[in-house]
Amino acid sequence: MKVLIATQKPFAAAAVEGIESILREAGHSVEKLEKYPGEAELIAAALDADALIVRSDKVTADVIAAAPSLKIVVRAGAGYDNVDLAAASARGIVVMNTPGQNANAVAELAIGLMIYMARTQFTPATGSELAGKTLGVQAFGNVGRLVGQKAAALGMKVQALDPFLTDTQIEQAGATPVHSIEELYSTSDYLSVHIPALPETIGSIGYDLVRSMPKGAVLVNTARKEVVDEEGLAKALEERPDLKYVTDVMPDNYAALTEKLGTRVFATPKKMGAQTAEANINAGLAAARQIADFFATGNRRFQVNK
Ligand code: 3PG
């Protein structure tokens, strides 16, 4: 089978080597398309691909339609909002992710962004400490739990909201359960967002929630820009000069936000949460193993379009 690794944001070299060796040992051929400019190049490269490994690369209905042999797409990472699941399912193509494999890298970045804002973006101005502050974690999955553990080790009080977990499960994972989004936002000095981008979550973090945050609070988004209602965020930040927003997923209105709000807002230049050698190796090798296993045994354990 021909496996195409299509990554606009390439994996670390060690991850690529590992992916290639797993797939070649399993008898597959591997092609790479890295740092490509757009969909046209992906369509051209995917024409004869049986399997696709991607990161945040957009696997649209047009890409799927242009790849008649395609049987499996593995998103090396957690969020699969970049893959047109309906188009894949209509063709019987299996879509998988590699849950948890890059979670530690994202969690470390979330903590780093909190410290960066608490310490006034590393300027000499007087900052504050994380210890003793309350961290709210919105969605207590693989990333959220690791953020919670690291924050607890720094002396933060950790509370979490996750509609898919019981109070006991949240407590066992080290946080105090919170039962409504309103309570989470209005009682968290730092609020770390870990929800996926779904029709029901897109634009769900807006004016009312941000405006309700405690004095001096910081909203931290290492999830997806789409879950934030950017206009509502801008309005709340303008009305509340004590609040801050830090993100690894640059908002579309970032230039306007920083012009108005200066250093109260910070976005990384390019999404970098999962961009560590370790995360690339974990997620990339998991993707390769999942593809090899799928072709060898039909294993669909991590299928997301069931
Ligand atoms: C994910 O969903 O796994 C993260 O957002 C990482 O995305 P990336 O592979 O594009 O860095």
Side-chain angles (χ1 to χ4, degrees), residues 270-285:
K270 194 169 189 179
K271 188 167 74 151
M272 57 178 284
Q275 196 59 3
T276 65
E278 293 89 338
N280 283 183
I281 290 168
N282 291 341
L285 269 52

Side-chain angles (χ1 to χ4, degrees), residues 9 55-56 75-79 102 106 223-224 271 274-275:
K9 190 170 58 180
R55 295 184 64 179
S56 291
R75 192 284 190 240
N102 59 18
V106 180
R224 292 288 182 271
K271 188 167 74 151
Q275 196 59 3

Side-chain angles (χ1 to χ4, degrees), residues 116-198:
Y116 186 59
M117 294 311 267
R119 301 309 285 265
T120 64
Q121 296 195 16
F122 299 162
T123 66
T126 303
S128 59
E129 299 179 19
L130 298 186
K133 307 292 189 304
T134 297
L135 169 70
V137 185
Q138 186 180 1
F140 215 40
N142 290 312
V143 182
R145 287 175 197 215
L146 285 168
V147 172
Q149 283 169 19
K150 293 172 199 307
L154 292 170
M156 299 184 86
K157 297 171 207 150
V158 181
Q159 56 183 11
L161 173 74
D162 194 315
F164 300 102
L165 298 178
T166 63
D167 283 3
T168 312
Q169 286 171 320
I170 290 178
E171 278 158 6
Q172 281 171 349
T176 302
V178 166
H179 300 107
S180 74
I181 187 92
E182 290 77 17
E183 185 189 350
L184 189 76
Y185 273 74
S186 64
T187 60
S188 297
D189 301 308
Y190 287 80
L191 193 306
S192 198
V193 179
H194 301 290
I195 51 175
L198 299 169

